Protein backbone atom coordinates (compact mmCIF):
# COMPACT_ATOMS: atom_id res chain seq x y z
CA UNK A 1 0.00 0.00 0.00
CA UNK A 2 1.43 3.36 -0.99
CA UNK A 3 1.10 6.25 1.39
CA UNK A 4 1.27 9.70 -0.12
CA UNK A 5 2.74 12.36 2.14
CA UNK A 6 2.94 16.07 1.56
CA UNK A 7 6.50 16.14 2.76
CA UNK A 8 9.50 13.85 2.78
CA UNK A 9 10.16 15.06 6.32
CA UNK A 10 6.89 13.55 7.57
CA UNK A 11 7.72 10.28 5.86
CA UNK A 12 11.22 10.25 7.36
CA UNK A 13 9.87 10.97 10.85
CA UNK A 14 7.41 8.12 10.53
CA UNK A 15 10.11 5.75 9.25
CA UNK A 16 12.48 6.80 11.99
CA UNK A 17 9.95 6.10 14.73
CA UNK A 18 9.08 2.81 13.11
CA UNK A 19 12.73 1.72 12.98
CA UNK A 20 13.29 2.75 16.57
CA UNK A 21 10.22 0.84 17.65
CA UNK A 22 11.78 -2.14 15.94
CA UNK A 23 14.87 -1.91 18.16
CA UNK A 24 12.72 -1.60 21.27
CA UNK A 25 10.72 -4.68 20.23
CA UNK A 26 13.88 -6.56 19.32
CA UNK A 27 15.44 -5.77 22.70
CA UNK A 28 12.35 -7.14 24.46
CA UNK A 29 12.37 -10.24 22.26
CA UNK A 30 16.10 -10.93 22.66
CA UNK A 31 16.21 -10.20 26.38
CA UNK A 32 18.21 -6.97 26.34
CA UNK A 33 17.45 -4.35 28.99
CA UNK A 34 17.68 -1.48 26.51
CA UNK A 35 17.84 -0.88 22.77
CA UNK A 36 21.38 0.52 23.33
CA UNK A 37 22.67 -3.07 22.97
CA UNK A 38 22.26 -2.74 19.20
CA UNK A 39 24.48 0.35 19.07
CA UNK A 40 27.38 -1.60 20.54
CA UNK A 41 26.55 -4.65 18.43
CA UNK A 42 26.77 -2.58 15.24
CA UNK A 43 30.09 -0.98 16.27
CA UNK A 44 31.50 -4.36 17.31
CA UNK A 45 30.38 -6.19 14.17
CA UNK A 46 31.81 -3.45 11.94
CA UNK A 47 35.20 -3.35 13.64
CA UNK A 48 35.49 -6.83 15.24
CA UNK A 49 36.44 -5.48 18.65
CA UNK A 50 35.12 -7.99 21.21
CA UNK A 51 36.14 -11.64 21.09
CA UNK A 52 36.01 -14.66 23.40
CA UNK A 53 38.83 -14.59 25.95
CA UNK A 54 38.81 -10.80 26.23
CA UNK A 55 38.83 -8.67 29.36
CA UNK A 56 36.24 -5.91 28.83
CA UNK A 57 35.49 -2.88 31.01
CA UNK A 58 32.02 -1.30 30.66
CA UNK A 59 31.84 2.29 31.96
CA UNK A 60 28.41 3.84 32.52
CA UNK A 61 26.93 0.36 32.34
CA UNK A 62 23.41 0.75 33.83
CA UNK A 63 20.86 -0.58 33.03
CA UNK A 64 23.20 -3.24 31.63
CA UNK A 65 22.45 -3.70 27.93
CA UNK A 66 26.09 -3.28 26.85
CA UNK A 67 27.30 -5.70 29.55
CA UNK A 68 24.62 -8.15 28.39
CA UNK A 69 25.87 -7.88 24.81
CA UNK A 70 29.52 -8.31 25.85
CA UNK A 71 28.57 -11.28 28.03
CA UNK A 72 26.98 -13.02 25.04
CA UNK A 73 30.04 -12.29 22.89
CA UNK A 74 32.30 -13.92 25.50
CA UNK A 75 30.07 -16.97 25.87
CA UNK A 76 31.21 -20.03 23.89
CA UNK A 77 27.72 -20.37 22.39
CA UNK A 78 26.45 -16.79 22.60
CA UNK A 79 24.27 -17.54 25.62
CA UNK A 80 23.03 -15.02 28.17
CA UNK A 81 24.05 -17.38 31.00
CA UNK A 82 26.41 -20.28 31.64
CA UNK A 83 30.06 -20.59 30.64
CA UNK A 84 32.03 -17.41 30.06
CA UNK A 85 35.35 -17.19 28.22
CA UNK A 86 36.75 -13.86 29.43
CA UNK A 87 35.95 -11.24 32.06
CA UNK A 88 33.64 -8.22 32.30
CA UNK A 89 33.95 -5.44 34.85
CA UNK A 90 31.13 -2.88 34.80
CA UNK A 91 30.78 0.44 36.61
CA UNK A 92 28.01 2.98 37.00
CA UNK A 93 26.82 5.73 39.32
CA UNK A 94 23.38 4.09 39.30
CA UNK A 95 22.53 0.61 40.59
CA UNK A 96 22.41 -2.21 38.06
CA UNK A 97 20.56 -5.50 38.32
CA UNK A 98 23.08 -8.37 38.42
CA UNK A 99 24.18 -10.03 35.18
CA UNK A 100 25.68 -13.49 35.48
CA UNK A 101 29.46 -13.33 35.14
CA UNK A 102 29.67 -9.51 35.29
CA UNK A 103 31.58 -7.89 38.18
CA UNK A 104 29.63 -4.68 38.90
CA UNK A 105 30.88 -1.69 40.89
CA UNK A 106 28.52 1.13 41.81
CA UNK A 107 30.23 4.50 42.12
CA UNK A 108 31.34 7.71 40.45
CA UNK A 109 34.12 7.14 37.90
CA UNK A 110 35.40 10.67 38.64
CA UNK A 111 36.31 9.72 42.22
CA UNK A 112 39.75 8.28 43.01
CA UNK A 113 38.48 5.58 45.40
CA UNK A 114 35.98 4.31 42.83
CA UNK A 115 38.69 4.21 40.17
CA UNK A 116 40.87 2.27 42.63
CA UNK A 117 38.07 -0.30 43.10
CA UNK A 118 37.76 -0.64 39.34
CA UNK A 119 41.49 -1.16 38.95
CA UNK A 120 41.44 -3.74 41.74
CA UNK A 121 38.66 -5.66 39.95
CA UNK A 122 40.73 -5.73 36.75
CA UNK A 123 43.40 -7.57 38.84
CA UNK A 124 46.34 -6.34 36.80
CA UNK A 125 45.11 -8.09 33.64
CA UNK A 126 45.65 -6.21 30.37
CA UNK A 127 42.25 -4.96 29.18
CA UNK A 128 41.27 -5.72 25.58
CA UNK A 129 38.34 -3.34 25.19
CA UNK A 130 36.93 -0.44 27.20
CA UNK A 131 33.40 0.64 26.27
CA UNK A 132 31.90 3.81 27.71
CA UNK A 133 28.27 4.87 27.41
CA UNK A 134 28.86 7.47 30.14
CA UNK A 135 27.11 10.79 29.68
CA UNK A 136 26.87 13.68 32.13
CA UNK A 137 23.61 15.30 33.12
CA UNK A 138 23.33 18.02 30.49
CA UNK A 139 22.45 21.54 31.61
CA UNK A 140 21.71 23.02 28.19
CA UNK A 141 24.58 25.49 28.67
CA UNK A 142 26.99 24.71 25.85
CA UNK A 143 30.32 25.47 27.54
CA UNK A 144 29.34 23.72 30.79
CA UNK A 145 28.08 20.61 28.97
CA UNK A 146 31.18 20.45 26.76
CA UNK A 147 33.42 20.59 29.85
CA UNK A 148 31.46 17.79 31.56
CA UNK A 149 31.57 15.58 28.47
CA UNK A 150 35.28 16.25 27.99
CA UNK A 151 36.08 15.32 31.59
CA UNK A 152 34.38 11.91 31.35
CA UNK A 153 36.03 11.12 28.03
CA UNK A 154 39.46 12.29 29.23
CA UNK A 155 39.12 10.00 32.28
CA UNK A 156 38.12 7.08 30.03
CA UNK A 157 41.11 7.75 27.75
CA UNK A 158 43.43 7.99 30.77
CA UNK A 159 42.12 4.65 32.08
CA UNK A 160 42.54 3.09 28.62
CA UNK A 161 46.14 4.34 28.29
CA UNK A 162 47.03 2.77 31.64
CA UNK A 163 45.19 -0.54 31.23
CA UNK A 164 44.63 -1.41 27.57
CA UNK A 165 46.72 -3.89 25.66
CA UNK A 166 48.81 -2.10 22.99
CA UNK A 167 46.33 -3.26 20.31
CA UNK A 168 43.24 -2.74 22.50
CA UNK A 169 40.24 -0.51 21.77
CA UNK A 170 38.24 2.22 23.47
CA UNK A 171 34.65 3.12 22.51
CA UNK A 172 33.14 6.31 23.97
CA UNK A 173 29.86 8.15 23.56
CA UNK A 174 30.18 11.74 22.39
CA UNK A 175 27.81 14.49 21.28
CA UNK A 176 28.21 16.90 18.37
CA UNK A 177 28.95 20.25 19.95
CA UNK A 178 31.74 22.07 21.73
CA UNK A 179 33.47 18.92 23.03
CA UNK A 180 33.52 17.10 19.70
CA UNK A 181 36.64 18.44 17.95
CA UNK A 182 38.89 18.49 21.08
CA UNK A 183 37.94 14.88 21.85
CA UNK A 184 38.61 13.72 18.27
CA UNK A 185 42.02 15.43 18.56
CA UNK A 186 42.68 13.65 21.88
CA UNK A 187 41.80 10.30 20.29
CA UNK A 188 44.09 11.01 17.32
CA UNK A 189 46.92 11.80 19.72
CA UNK A 190 46.31 8.56 21.65
CA UNK A 191 45.28 5.89 19.11
CA UNK A 192 46.66 4.67 15.81
CA UNK A 193 43.18 4.25 14.30
CA UNK A 194 40.27 6.59 15.11
CA UNK A 195 36.76 6.06 13.75
CA UNK A 196 33.65 8.14 14.43
CA UNK A 197 30.56 5.93 14.35
CA UNK A 198 26.84 6.75 14.23
CA UNK A 199 24.98 3.44 14.64
CA UNK A 200 21.61 2.94 12.94
CA UNK A 201 20.14 2.27 16.39
CA UNK A 202 20.96 5.86 17.40
CA UNK A 203 17.99 8.14 16.89
CA UNK A 204 18.44 10.46 13.93
CA UNK A 205 17.51 13.53 15.94
CA UNK A 206 20.03 12.65 18.65
CA UNK A 207 23.41 14.41 18.43
CA UNK A 208 25.09 11.37 20.00
CA UNK A 209 27.83 9.66 18.11
CA UNK A 210 30.57 7.25 19.16
CA UNK A 211 34.33 7.50 18.85
CA UNK A 212 36.39 4.34 18.52
CA UNK A 213 40.13 4.32 19.10
CA UNK A 214 42.12 1.18 18.25
CA UNK A 215 45.77 0.51 19.07
CA UNK A 216 47.62 2.80 21.47
CA UNK A 217 50.31 5.00 19.99
CA UNK A 218 53.69 4.34 21.68
CA UNK A 219 53.75 8.02 22.72
CA UNK A 220 50.45 7.56 24.62
CA UNK A 221 52.23 5.47 27.25
CA UNK A 222 54.75 8.19 27.86
Amino acid sequence: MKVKTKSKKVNKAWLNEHVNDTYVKLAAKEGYRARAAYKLQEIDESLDLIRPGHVVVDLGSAPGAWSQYVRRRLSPDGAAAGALNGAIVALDLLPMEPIEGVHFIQGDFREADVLARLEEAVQGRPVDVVVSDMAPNLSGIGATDAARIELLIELAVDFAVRHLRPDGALVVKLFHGGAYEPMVALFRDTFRVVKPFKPKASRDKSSETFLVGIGLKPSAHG
Side-chain angles (χ1 to χ4, degrees):
M1 177 178 130
K2 286 186 178 173
V3 180
K4 287 186 180 174
T5 54
K6 291 178 186 170
S7 139
K8 283 184 180 171
K9 271 189 186 169
V10 173
N11 208 15
K12 189 162 187 268
W14 179 85
L15 274 173
N16 188 36
E17 281 175 26
H18 177 72
V19 167
N20 286 323
D21 273 353
T22 304
Y23 286 115
V24 172
K25 285 175 191 162
L26 201 56
K29 183 181 161 196
E30 296 191 340
Y32 284 119
R33 294 174 184 175
R35 60 199 293 291
Y38 301 104
K39 299 175 191 178
L40 183 58
Q41 180 177 9
E42 199 178 327
I43 294 166
D44 179 38
E45 288 178 351
S46 295
L47 301 172
D48 191 25
L49 300 178
I50 301 163
R51 298 173 205 158
H54 275 180
V55 174
V56 181
V57 173
D58 180 5
L59 301 173
S61 59
W66 279 23
S67 281
Q68 286 180 303
Y69 172 76
V70 173
R71 197 247 173 274
R72 293 183 194 193
R73 287 287 288 131
L74 300 186
S75 166
D77 50 4
L84 189 65
N85 179 10
I88 309 159
V89 180
L91 182 144
D92 202 289
L93 198 55
L94 300 170
M96 185 176 92
E97 288 290 318
I99 296 168
E100 188 181 315
V102 176
H103 180 121
F104 176 67
I105 296 162
Q106 185 176 350
D108 189 334
F109 185 60
R110 295 167 298 186
E111 292 176 4
D113 62 321
V114 174
L115 184 57
R117 282 166 61 204
L118 177 63
E119 291 177 332
E120 192 181 322
V122 169
Q123 296 174 348
R125 294 168 292 191
V127 176
D128 296 279
V129 184
V130 177
V131 295
S132 171
D133 203 18
M134 289 190 297
N137 290 325
L138 298 177
S139 65
I141 301 163
T144 305
D145 289 342
R148 288 176 182 172
I149 292 164
E150 284 183 24
L151 174 62
L152 288 176
I153 292 173
E154 284 166 356
L155 289 170
V157 169
D158 187 52
F159 179 82
V161 165
R162 283 184 293 120
H163 296 282
L164 273 184
R165 287 184 186 282
D167 59 349
L170 170 65
V171 180
V172 301
K173 178 155 74 178
L174 186 52
F175 298 91
H176 281 287
Y180 187 78
E181 291 303 330
M183 293 302 94
V184 171
L186 174 62
F187 262 62
R188 291 200 173 123
D189 285 346
T190 309
F191 296 97
R192 292 196 301 272
V193 177
V194 177
K195 291 183 183 288
F197 209 100
K198 173 83 172 179
K200 293 185 188 74
S202 274
R203 294 187 165 93
D204 277 357
K205 59 190 169 198
S206 167
S207 68
E208 82 170 5
T209 187
F210 294 85
L211 261 186
V212 184
I214 303 169
L216 291 168
K217 286 185 170 177
S219 57
H221 287 290

